[in-house]
Amino acid sequence: MRGYQLVAGPSGVFRADEARVSQGTVDTDHGGHSGTGFVNLENTPGSYAEWTVRAAAASTASLELRYANGTAADRPMDIAVNGTRVAAGRTFPPTANWDTWATAALPVSLKAGANTVRFTSTTADGGPNLDRITVR
């Protein structure tokens, strides 16, 4: 289990190499990632990366995931905040290759204090490679 970053205030960047990861590894074999590595989830449903995000007050925020998908197929994921699924089968379409990063965003509701944010693979292909999430 990896550590996680807690931040106060309206925004924060949470690197994937600091996430709690189930059925995946932190790798460095593709360029352009922002931390010491990126999360490469296993090709199985249920693999996930999870962060704890602290909010100063209850609010709606934009949750942005920076990812790479070097395959020809979508790699959908379920996104949950505090155990409640806020996006089912959220699409993460292909990028040009595993070294090309894209950003997908969605609005989420955060409570005051600690919030758990989890991205979970939904297919046998697993999820995309994960670089970081940004909460704005």
Side-chain angles (χ1 to χ4, degrees):
M1 180 182 293
R2 298 193 162 278
Y4 53 91
Q5 176 183 21
L6 295 176
V7 298
S11 66
V13 176
F14 303 85
R15 295 188 338 241
D17 60 327
E18 299 173 327
R20 287 180 297 277
V21 178
S22 175
Q23 298 176 315
T25 57
V26 175
D27 294 341
T28 59
D29 58 327
H30 298 292
H33 53 83
S34 59
T36 59
F38 59 88
V39 170
N40 180 3
L41 295 170
E42 289 182 15
N43 292 344
T44 185
S47 57
Y48 69 82
E50 179 179 276
W51 295 264
T52 299
V53 175
R54 184 168 298 278
S59 62
T60 299
S62 176
L63 178 64
E64 302 169 357
L65 174 70
R66 187 169 186 256
Y67 74 95
N69 177 359
T71 71
D74 183 31
R75 292 210 168 183
M77 301 186 83
D78 286 346
I79 301 158
V81 176
N82 298 321
T84 300
R85 188 172 22 184
V86 297
R90 173 66 185 237
T91 184
F92 291 94
T95 56
N97 54 51
W98 291 110
D99 297 313
T100 301
W101 300 90
T103 302
L106 74 148
V108 297
S109 294
L110 300 176
K111 65 181 182 178
N115 294 269
T116 302
V117 176
R118 180 182 287 190
F119 285 76
T120 304
S121 303
T122 61
T123 70
D125 291 330
N129 288 347
L130 310 176
D131 179 44
R132 67 177 181 249
I133 61 170
T134 302
V135 180
R136 299 186 195 278

